[in-house]
Amino acid sequence: MISNIWLHPALILIIGACAVPFFRGALRVPFLLLIPTLSFGAVLSMTPGVYGVFSFADWELVFGRVDSLSLVFAYIMALMCILGTLYGLHVRDPYQHMAAWFYVAGSLGVIFAGDFLVLFLFWEIMAFASTFLIWFRGRAQSLGAGYRYLLVHTAGGLALLAGIVLHYHATGGDLSFNALDISQPTVATWLILIGFMLNAAVFPLHSWLPDAYGEASVVGAVFMCAFTTKTAVYTLARGFAGMEILIPLGVIMAVVGVIYAVLENDARRLLAYSIISQVGYMVAAVGIGSSLAINGAAAHAFAHILYKGLLFMGVGSVLHMTGTSKFTELGGLYKKMPRTLLFTLVGCASIAAFPLFSGFVSKSMIISAGFYGEHYWATFILLAASAGTFLYNGLKLPYLIWFGESRCSQETYERAADPPWHMQLAMGMGAFFCVLVGVYYPYLYGMLPNPVEYQPYNAYQLAETLQLLGFTALAFYVMRKMLLPIPTITLDLDWLYRKGGLIVLWLARKPIQGADTAVNNAYNTWGLNPLMTVSRFWSWFDWHAIDGVVDGLARTVRGVGDRVRHLQAARIQVNVFTTVAFVAVLLILYVFAN
């Protein structure tokens, strides 16, 4: 089915974002809830097909390629937009809501894009809009993190654009976004892959994520944890399913994320590293490439958006109410924030893949796909990483914030309380969906891109999961004193471009600026000064020589004219006589001369 009559959910959000500043007072909250709800309704009303096809120059742009893969991602992203907007109702600044909705619109635009040109357009909208969600926190650190985020994603966008251009020329003008030839990848294929991998935070292109998400605003981090990386997972699943290099890269992501999360002192940076680890499962699943693996990647992206959004809402509530998210400044808050604790525990159980929670029915699908595909080493490492996930997210996070000894200052402890009703409602809805997906998994499996015959609740899966969780809990109990927070800064690969930037700045200020100054001085001394001397000479010559001759000739002509003028009389008879006499004299002279 091909039609141009189609309401894009991204268009609803863009129009709504432009209108946000005009809705104030009693209309503000209903409007903020209406727009994402309409966008979600637009997704629900879609049927598979091709929509929004427009001709531009020599290209055919497809804004609406709707199929089972795009629908499952669009469904959860539109739903998360509702939850994120509900969570952020207390934000009075309309421009923060505008940035968030433009960001979600960019993500939805990529999801439904049928060609690379439309994809790149929305890809850049997503990158630039999300930068403001970092800056809106208003701290000096947020300003720097936002600039670094923007520069990194600009570099990724340039790599993607270069790949698109090369692909366009190599295919004779084909811009359609479909599965690429991964059996014989070209330079264009690798560049496109790099652009996608950077947004997915694939190691070693990952360190922008904790840097940015840890400095974003409270509401901004809730949005950012859901969209950028999962949109990239969608593009990888669409274009690079079965590319085996993604398997080791995904495994490395899963392990690196666990290591840094265990070391981290800031709760939101811990959750950011957790994103890297969990997206690693999805990237590895895309690399496996089987129907079960692609289903697992889509299912885990769906579940991840729910539980990671819930966790960022829980930790964001702590930051919003107490003013800090550092473990060294928290602890013992279970009596002060009981409902926030309850909702966050649901998120912790989900990410740790407890049975009856969303993470179990999605992560187990990826693990099974790994075993079925005989990728044993990768699968066993992913299983070990899932134990680490329970360690840092299911045990360390709630223990250091809500249990254990209090490390809060008096001011922090007094400020601690459950957040406003709308934030609690958003967390409650997120927790509900985490449980719903885990208990009634056909709700999720029915949306997956390939037919599903997988059953997550079997004796082997349950025994394996419970043993893993039990041994991890025992290890935490034994080692809990070793996991107490330390107020340190964990160095990551972003240190390289941070220091590299300082080196470039030093080079620009010192040797390069010094060389430029030396060249300018040499130019002034040996070039400009002699040139000015020569110019002054020619100015004098022009004034005194050339102008003197011309002006002298003009004065002579003017003098002769004055004298001739006096020869004229006021009477015409005299003038005629004088003229005739002058002519006669000339004729006589001419005759005598010959």
Side-chain angles (χ1 to χ4, degrees):
M1 177 180 181
I2 300 179
S3 172
N4 286 324
I5 304 174
W6 181 64
L7 185 58
H8 202 305
L11 181 61
I12 297 174
L13 290 171
I14 291 173
I15 294 174
C18 295
V20 164
F22 303 102
F23 285 83
R24 301 179 181 275
L27 295 177
R28 188 183 73 90
V29 170
F31 181 77
L32 288 177
L33 295 177
L34 174 65
I35 295 301
T37 303
L38 290 177
S39 181
F40 183 57
V43 173
L44 292 179
S45 66
M46 290 181 185
T47 55
V50 178
Y51 307 89
V53 181
F54 297 94
S55 295
F56 176 74
D58 295 330
W59 305 311
E60 187 176 79
L61 307 182
V62 180
F63 285 84
R65 191 245 315 271
V66 181
D67 58 17
S68 55
L69 181 61
S70 58
L71 277 176
V72 64
F73 278 87
Y75 180 98
I76 187 57
M77 290 179 176
L79 177 61
M80 189 61 209
C81 184
I82 297 175
L83 298 181
T85 302
L86 174 61
Y87 184 79
L89 287 181
H90 63 280
V91 177
R92 295 288 177 178
D93 183 3
Y95 300 106
Q96 295 195 39
H97 296 287
M98 290 179 66
W101 286 356
F102 266 101
Y103 175 42
V104 180
S107 180
L108 289 171
V110 171
I111 297 301
F112 288 116
D115 62 87
F116 277 113
L117 195 59
V118 174
L119 181 146
F120 183 76
L121 168 67
F122 285 104
W123 193 266
E124 293 304 298
I125 290 175
M126 187 171 59
F128 281 91
S130 56
T131 303
F132 289 93
L133 298 178
I134 305 170
W135 285 338
F136 278 131
R137 190 176 181 187
R139 305 200 316 166
Q141 299 93 321
S142 302
L143 182 63
Y147 278 121
R148 289 189 294 272
Y149 176 88
L150 183 59
L151 289 172
V152 168
H153 283 271
T154 300
L158 289 174
L160 176 60
L161 180 60
I164 292 172
V165 171
L166 292 176
H167 176 77
Y168 177 79
H169 285 284
T171 58
D174 182 18
L175 280 174
S176 60
F177 175 42
N178 296 302
L180 298 172
D181 183 8
I182 59 175
S183 60
Q184 296 178 327
T186 62
V187 174
T189 306
W190 286 112
L191 286 172
I192 294 172
L193 179 62
I194 290 171
F196 291 165
M197 288 197 306
L198 187 141
N199 270 33
V202 175
F203 184 89
L205 308 174
H206 69 285
S207 54
W208 60 266
L209 194 152
D211 181 33
Y213 290 16
E215 286 298 333
S217 67
V218 169
V219 178
V222 172
F223 276 94
M224 294 181 74
C225 77
F227 295 99
T228 299
T229 51
K230 266 62 72 183
T231 303
V233 167
Y234 164 81
T235 59
L236 290 173
R238 175 73 71 182
F240 294 91
M243 192 165 192
E244 292 194 349
I245 187 63
L246 295 176
I247 299 176
L249 290 175
V251 170
I252 293 172
M253 290 174 68
V255 175
V256 168
V258 167
I259 293 172
Y260 275 99
V262 170
L263 298 174
E264 189 56 57
N265 179 47
D266 186 282
R268 295 206 304 170
R269 285 178 61 88
L270 179 150
L271 293 177
Y273 279 114
S274 174
I275 292 175
I276 296 172
S277 180
Q278 295 302 298
V279 172
Y281 287 84
M282 306 171 209
V283 171
V286 171
I288 294 170
S290 63
S291 296
L292 180 61
I294 297 301
N295 278 345
H300 203 48
F302 190 104
H304 183 266
I305 288 175
L306 288 174
Y307 63 65
K308 189 59 66 177
L310 176 56
L311 288 169
F312 264 96
M313 285 190 279
V315 173
S317 297
V318 174
L319 175 61
H320 178 69
M321 299 306 295
T322 66
T324 183
S325 58
K326 295 186 180 297
F327 294 124
T328 49
E329 300 170 4
L330 296 168
L333 297 179
Y334 69 96
K335 291 182 180 179
K336 302 284 288 185
M337 308 180 71
R339 287 184 290 276
T340 304
L341 167 61
L342 175 62
F343 297 138
T344 306
L345 286 178
V346 173
C348 292
S350 298
I351 192 173
F354 266 83
L356 304 181
F357 291 90
S358 58
F360 178 81
V361 302
S362 60
K363 188 180 292 185
S364 62
M365 187 179 287
I366 296 176
I367 298 298
S368 297
F371 281 127
Y372 292 157
E374 299 183 350
H375 301 283
Y376 297 118
W377 68 270
T379 308
F380 279 119
I381 295 176
L382 291 177
L383 272 174
S386 66
T389 301
F390 180 47
L391 176 66
Y392 69 76
N393 228 136
L395 297 172
K396 175 184 175 179
L397 179 71
Y399 179 77
L400 294 180
I401 294 179
W402 282 280
F403 302 107
E405 64 175 323
S406 175
R407 295 167 297 278
C408 304
S409 66
Q410 185 66 27
E411 180 184 2
T412 299
Y413 192 79
E414 290 177 354
R415 290 177 57 183
D418 280 319
W421 68 268
H422 62 89
M423 300 174 81
Q424 294 187 49
L425 179 59
M427 288 189 286
M429 293 175 64
F432 167 77
F433 280 105
C434 285
V435 175
L436 174 65
V437 171
V439 173
Y440 183 63
Y441 57 88
Y443 163 71
L444 170 59
Y445 285 8
M447 291 186 262
L448 296 180
N450 300 306
V452 180
E453 298 179 356
Y454 178 74
Q455 295 294 329
Y457 291 105
N458 57 68
Y460 173 78
Q461 292 286 357
L462 291 171
E464 176 187 76
T465 300
L466 293 176
Q467 289 179 38
L468 204 62
L469 295 175
F471 281 116
T472 306
L474 178 61
F476 176 79
Y477 178 77
V478 173
M479 302 172 58
R480 65 188 185 281
K481 292 184 178 180
M482 299 175 60
L483 295 174
L484 291 178
I486 301 174
T488 58
I489 297 175
T490 305
L491 295 180
D492 200 348
L493 292 181
D494 61 329
W495 180 87
L496 296 176
Y497 59 75
R498 290 191 193 215
K499 293 301 180 182
L502 292 176
I503 292 173
V504 171
L505 184 61
W506 179 85
L507 289 173
R509 286 179 173 177
K510 299 296 183 180
I512 296 177
Q513 182 63 44
D516 181 68
T517 302
V519 170
N520 286 337
N521 291 336
Y523 172 73
N524 290 335
T525 303
W526 304 105
L528 190 60
N529 291 339
L531 182 63
M532 292 301 296
T533 302
V534 173
S535 299
R536 283 192 292 269
F537 166 76
W538 285 113
S539 177
W540 175 89
F541 182 80
D542 176 70
W543 180 260
H544 292 87
I546 297 178
D547 286 357
V549 173
V550 174
D551 292 346
L553 180 61
R555 285 193 293 271
T556 301
V557 172
R558 186 177 63 184
V560 172
D562 286 341
R563 293 187 177 278
V564 171
R565 178 172 58 83
H566 290 300
L567 295 176
Q568 294 181 347
R571 292 171 297 175
I572 191 171
Q573 297 90 340
V574 176
N575 292 336
V576 171
F577 174 77
T578 303
T579 301
V580 171
F582 181 73
V583 172
V585 170
L586 291 177
L587 289 174
I588 292 171
L589 290 174
Y590 175 77
V591 171
F592 280 104
N594 291 287

